[in-house]
Amino acid sequence: MMSLWKLFERSVQLYHKKTALIEVNRRISFDELWEISCRMGRRLWEEAEEKKQRRVLILARNSIEEIAVFLGCFQTGLIACPVNWRHSAKELEKLLADYPDAVLLSDRKSSELMRQAGAENVLLLEEMDSAWGSGCLKRKDRLDSDRETECLVKEAVLTYGEDKCYFGNGAGPEDIAVQLFTSGSTGTPKEVGHTHGGLMAYLYTYALESRWTAEEIYQTSANLFHLSGLSIILSLLIGSTTVFFDHFDSMEFLQVMEREKSSRVSMIPTLIIRLLQDKRMQEFDFSSVKKIVYGGSPMNEHVVLQAMERFHCQMEQAYGATESCCMAILLPEDHQRAADHVQDRKILRSAGRPLPLVQVRIRQETTGDEGKKEACGEIEVKSPFLCTWDAKKGQYGTADGYHPTGDMGWVDSDGYLYLAGRKHDLIISGGENVYPKEVEDCIAGLTAVEAVCVLGMPEPCWGEMVVACVVRKENVSLSEDEVISWCRQHIAGYKKPKKVVFCDYLPENANGKVSRPLLRKYLEDYIFKK
């Protein structure tokens, strides 16, 4: 049966001595990772058989061990369910209550949180593999040795696909490989399952469109409990070397990038902005970096152009969601044509064009029908790599197989997809629809603005008022009147902010995105308090 494990085995066969993973100062080859994953798979299967449960809930920071657990699950037909380790004990307790028989796995750093959440019989990730200290992992300071350190294999032999290395029932294309959790706008965790077949279709479609090859050295700090973190797994299946971290520290990120000569680097816009503002960045050599992939949200065009000039490499934007994987890409050619004024620079504000095999439509709520091009409505998507529906909560797709993303947007005459903001972030002021992103893009055009977030706050007369929260650049003056006057010149009068609040920073959520709920609470508590 075709599965993600079979694709990983193919990478092992083709690149067996090549470095597969680099975790700051630890590294492991494809051969060694295969061996450890086999042992992890066997241990997990024994636990799952006893509990009669396929799910393995994983509360751990990014590590080589955790990735081996994912692969062990793929091998045996178990479901890897990474959980956000930033949860509070109460949130985690509520989530675990829905899976009383699941195999529970934690690293040492998260074991106390598991205990506080009332979890029992939790496996410790660092103790999962008895042969872990046998030389399988080589530290950076041993790499220059004349003699290559060999991994001692006690249980598995390097005959890929041999029955003795398999445990459990294996997996087929229709079986769920990974279950992620997304809270969306409700705060209630929703399970999102992706099948082996769906992720394989996604791998080939995305890798082809993004020109991702085995020769890449890929670097990311994305967490494995997010869709973006699964790029670590996709990199292994492609056969490229992956450099990853368990957190983002700008200096460490740059030092490792320079040392490992990373060629493909993935970052969310917040991190790119952080690097652009860090004067120490000028001390590092970016010559190995061929492409920076950013996602999570479109980046302001002025920041994109600044990044292209500073990094001297290709830029590529990936737009996606937990339920749908990547849906659209703004390619390096698009960025370059816009920078060279060959194409209208407005495309830098877009999310690019849909991937092959992805169908996108815009549904307008006024009629309930598919909207015409350039008409704003909810973005719905259909593809072979959509998630499986949540059986416990019913189907949350449309009758004809489209998934409502919750994002509002439109498609222009050239097929570029533009985002207007989240559906629940829409501001209705005096009966008029105001999309926060349009106002944010306008305000970001002011050179004195470092960051901006726009949201609606209750207002007796108009229903909601447009409020702009602005972070000024260091040692630069900017007044509320100047912001409002600028907006009056560039957007419709009803869209301009009625109030501008200057902040030292904008709060972020676990994804590194600006947290509107936290910002709204700040406004309610300190600015609009009754």
Side-chain angles (χ1 to χ4, degrees), residues 298-355:
M299 194 157 50
N300 178 270
E301 63 182 276
H302 305 286
V303 178
V304 173
L305 293 170
Q306 184 184 357
M308 291 176 69
E309 182 180 352
R310 185 77 65 84
F311 296 123
H312 299 291
C313 68
Q314 295 180 342
M315 299 290 290
E316 180 177 289
Q317 182 195 163
Y319 162 60
T322 306
E323 295 88 349
S324 60
C325 299
C326 179
M327 294 176 266
I329 287 183
L330 188 66
L331 292 168
E333 293 86 345
D334 296 317
H335 286 79
Q336 196 59 54
R337 284 195 295 267
D340 295 340
H341 294 282
V342 175
Q343 199 164 355
D344 194 323
R345 284 191 170 178
K346 73 174 185 178
I347 69 166
L348 295 178
R349 300 197 295 268
S350 80
R353 291 187 174 108
L355 287 172

Side-chain angles (χ1 to χ4, degrees), residues 98-135:
D98 287 336
Y99 307 97
D101 299 320
V103 177
L104 302 182
L105 191 59
S106 166
D107 62 7
R108 285 194 177 91
K109 289 182 179 178
S110 303
S111 59
E112 176 61 20
L113 179 58
M114 275 284 201
R115 188 194 66 78
Q116 292 173 2
E120 298 179 352
N121 301 317
V122 180
L123 297 174
L124 195 60
L125 186 59
E126 289 86 348
E127 297 176 359
M128 280 285 291
D129 183 20
S130 59
W132 200 240
S134 63

Side-chain angles (χ1 to χ4, degrees), residues 226-467:
H226 287 306
L227 177 75
S228 56
L230 293 186
S231 61
I232 297 172
I233 304 296
L234 295 185
S235 180
L236 289 172
L237 304 186
I238 290 169
S240 53
T241 296
T242 306
V243 183
F244 71 99
F245 305 79
D246 65 357
H247 69 288
F248 180 81
D249 176 88
S250 57
M251 286 299 292
E252 181 180 61
F253 194 89
L254 294 171
Q255 288 167 351
V256 175
M257 177 205 72
E258 185 178 70
R259 185 190 74 202
E260 302 299 340
K261 298 187 178 350
S262 301
S263 60
R264 180 187 183 94
V265 178
S266 174
M267 287 185 283
I268 60 174
T270 306
L271 301 186
I272 293 177
I273 294 169
R274 196 177 297 173
L275 288 181
L276 289 173
Q277 294 170 348
D278 195 330
K279 295 179 181 178
R280 297 171 299 175
M281 192 193 75
Q282 300 174 5
E283 304 170 7
F284 293 90
D285 180 10
F286 282 82
S287 60
S288 67
V289 180
K290 298 175 183 176
K291 178 186 287 187
I292 292 176
V293 181
Y294 63 98
S297 63
M299 194 157 50
N300 178 270
E301 63 182 276
H302 305 286
V303 178
V304 173
L305 293 170
Q306 184 184 357
M308 291 176 69
E309 182 180 352
R310 185 77 65 84
F311 296 123
H312 299 291
C313 68
Q314 295 180 342
M315 299 290 290
E316 180 177 289
Q317 182 195 163
Y319 162 60
T322 306
E323 295 88 349
S324 60
C325 299
C326 179
M327 294 176 266
I329 287 183
L330 188 66
L331 292 168
E333 293 86 345
D334 296 317
H335 286 79
Q336 196 59 54
R337 284 195 295 267
D340 295 340
H341 294 282
V342 175
Q343 199 164 355
D344 194 323
R345 284 191 170 178
K346 73 174 185 178
I347 69 166
L348 295 178
R349 300 197 295 268
S350 80
R353 291 187 174 108
L355 287 172
L357 305 183
V358 175
Q359 300 175 61
V360 169
R361 71 183 183 190
I362 306 299
R363 184 172 291 274
Q364 293 175 271
E365 292 197 352
T366 52
T367 63
D369 297 323
E370 185 177 346
K372 296 179 181 180
K373 287 188 175 181
E374 307 227 30
C376 192
E378 184 170 9
I379 300 169
E380 295 185 343
V381 61
K382 184 178 184 180
S383 79
F385 33 88
L386 270 179
C387 67
T388 59
W389 305 128
D390 187 336
K392 293 189 297 183
K393 299 176 184 177
Q395 180 170 313
Y396 51 87
T398 64
D400 54 353
Y402 279 81
H403 167 65
T405 63
D407 287 331
M408 303 295 285
W410 69 93
V411 178
D412 71 11
S413 57
D414 294 318
Y416 289 92
L417 178 65
Y418 290 79
L419 305 183
R422 293 292 292 170
K423 185 177 179 180
H424 61 266
D425 292 334
L426 174 67
I427 302 168
I428 303 177
S429 182
E432 298 283 1
N433 290 349
V434 180
Y435 296 100
K437 187 176 183 301
E438 182 182 3
V439 187
E440 290 167 356
D441 285 342
C442 176
I443 296 174
L446 285 161
T447 56
V449 172
E450 180 177 298
V452 57
C453 181
V454 170
L455 35 74
M457 296 300 292
E459 207 277 339
C461 179
W462 300 99
E464 285 184 295
M465 65 185 295
V466 179
V467 179

